[in-house]
């Protein structure tokens, strides 16, 4: 319960004590210690059902503007400002140096969820926020689903925005949120019913100050050792301690040193979270049509095959019947339209060049294997060495690259990791098609040097010499440049600056 004596004690300004968690109680939210996933789900549902006005009403049930003195306000603003400067500095360090974002994007969704929940948990348990766990209701943008969107790009975008706003010289620098701002000027809902309040206490009809304090609290909850930094540190500590869920990604990062990993992380952010729906006849999506149109499914296929064939309208279903009737209820057949469940590359966006390259490759029984990302026909003239490489790769499709020992003995370089294999082969395809564009050579060169320099019969110099023969003398310099973007030292910098 809030202590009222603090309002009269002007000489020693201290933060008011915490208020009771009325919202957590109202929604009967599970204790986080019992079940963090359930706790989170219940909060997300509760927040989605509330308006900012509802939240403000609930949390200001026992107070009004007269509760906060000017000294309180000054103290709140000062402490927010100092934490913001701090947070902005740490976040930009984290985002600009090292491979924090790449590592994060490469983590699987379960690992990402774990870190976000850890951040939320610490923020909700922080004793210095005056509304305790209820503070979460002030931050509708802080949801697991928001942050996990686009393979986790949602979280990186959010951190970038926080760093930008908290680092701006404007005071106060509040994170904008249109949902929350709707509560900026409400009459005090409690005031009207407060006839039993002792006469010496001034009652304010406004909630301007309460809103301001809640806005400061909102920004505190998001910043500091609370949500943003707690989740970021959960990730950083997993990196430095090589946590179980981090091992695979770190192994990948170390073996690719950066360029291939960065490519993969970038590709991943454009992935769809789930397949989209398209009309089997006109190929339009619900978004294309708009106006909340409800798509229909073929009921025969749905009942008999548990298989969904979608149509935007009855007329489209009719128009398509002559084609669909051959399979209807008998066989699971769709056109496999781009982005839909029937498209095995549905996760890739329609405009993704990588996916389109793969969509256009020859497929066996409708499926493409990475083996099929072969050597493309050349648009220019390959060097004799590159021509020999291309011929050998065409003849042995399991091999990702042929390296040659000093005595000319071929070494079959084969990558196991599927993501790395895909990026490697795409880069390989680029240089085989456009021998003058050396971007791809840098990436595959960097990757092979890291993995193969110590292979019996090979060395760094031997591999570089081969690549120069294949793609020109200036390649060596470019690869070294890429290699110098060191990896592990960056992570250490981050660790030292936050410790
Ligand atoms: Zn249609
Ligand atoms: Zn059907």
């Amino acid at each position: 319960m809030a202590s009222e004596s603090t309002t009269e004690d002007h000489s020693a300004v201290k933060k008011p004590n915490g208020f009771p968690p009325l919202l957590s109680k109202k929604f009967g939210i599970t204790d986080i210690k019992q079940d963090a996933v359930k706790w989170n789900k219940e909060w997300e549902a509760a927040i989605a059902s509330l308006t900012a006005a509802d939240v403000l009403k609930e949390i200001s049930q026992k107070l009004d503007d007269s509760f906060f003195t000017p000294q309180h306000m000054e103290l709140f603003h000062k402490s927010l400002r100092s934490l913001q400067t701090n947070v902005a500095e740490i976040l930009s360090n984290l985002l600009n140096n090292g491979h924090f974002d790449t590592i994060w994007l490469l983590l699987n969704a379960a690992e990402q969820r774990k870190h976000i929940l850890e951040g939320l948990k610490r923020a909700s348990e922080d004793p210095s926020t005056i509304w305790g766990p209820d503070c979460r209701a002030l931050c509708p943008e802080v949801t697991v689903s928001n942050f996990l969107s686009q393979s986790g790009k949602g979280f990186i975008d959010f951190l970038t925005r926080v760093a930008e706003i908290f680092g701006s010289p404007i005071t106060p620098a509040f994170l904008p949120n249109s949902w929350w701002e709707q509560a900026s000027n409400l009459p005090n809902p409690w005031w009207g019913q407060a006839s039993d309040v002792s006469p010496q206490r001034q009652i304010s009809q406004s909630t301007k100050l309460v809103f301001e304090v809640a806005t400061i609290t909102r920004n505190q909850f998001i910043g500091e050792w609370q949500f943003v930094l707690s989740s970021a540190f959960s990730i950083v500590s997993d990196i430095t301690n090589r946590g179980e869920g981090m091992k695979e990604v770190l192994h990948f990062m170390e073996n690719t040193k950066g360029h291939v990993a960065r490519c993969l992380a970038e590709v991943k952010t454009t992935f769809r979270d789930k397949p989209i729906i398209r009309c089997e006849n006109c190929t339009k999506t619900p978004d294309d049509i708009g106006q909340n149109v409800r798509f229909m499914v073929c009921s025969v296929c749905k009942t008999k095959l548990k298989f969904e064939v979608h149509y935007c309208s009855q007329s489209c279903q009719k128009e398509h019947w002559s084609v669909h009737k051959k399979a209807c209820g008998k066989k699971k057949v769709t056109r496999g339209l781009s982005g839909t469940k029937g498209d095995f590359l549905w996760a890739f966006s329609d405009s993704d060049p990588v996916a389109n390259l793969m969509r256009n490759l020859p497929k066996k029984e409708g499926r493409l294997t990475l083996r099929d990302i072969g050597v493309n026909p050349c648009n220019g003239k390959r060097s004799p060495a590159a021509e020999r490489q291309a011929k050998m790769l065409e003849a042995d499709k399991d091999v990702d690259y042929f390296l040659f020992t000093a005595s000319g003995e071929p070494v079959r370089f084969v990558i196991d990791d599927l993501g790395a294999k895909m990026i490697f082969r795409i880069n390989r395809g680029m240089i085989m098609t456009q021998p003058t564009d050396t971007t791809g050579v840098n990436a595959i060169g960097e990757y092979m040097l890291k993995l193969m320099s110590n292979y019996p019969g090979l060395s760094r110099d031997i591999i570089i010499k081969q690549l120069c023969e294949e793609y020109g003398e200036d390649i060596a310099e470019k690869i070294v440049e890429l290699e110098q973007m060191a990896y592990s030292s960056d992570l250490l910098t981050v660790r030292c600056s936050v410790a």
Side-chain angles (χ1 to χ4, degrees), residues 298 300-301 309 324 328-329:
C298 171
V300 179
C301 286
V309 181
H324 181 62
C328 186

Side-chain angles (χ1 to χ4, degrees), residues 279 281-284 289 311-313 316:
C279 173
N281 186 53
C282 68
T283 78
K284 284 189 177 136
I289 296 170
Y311 293 102
C312 71
S313 59
C316 264

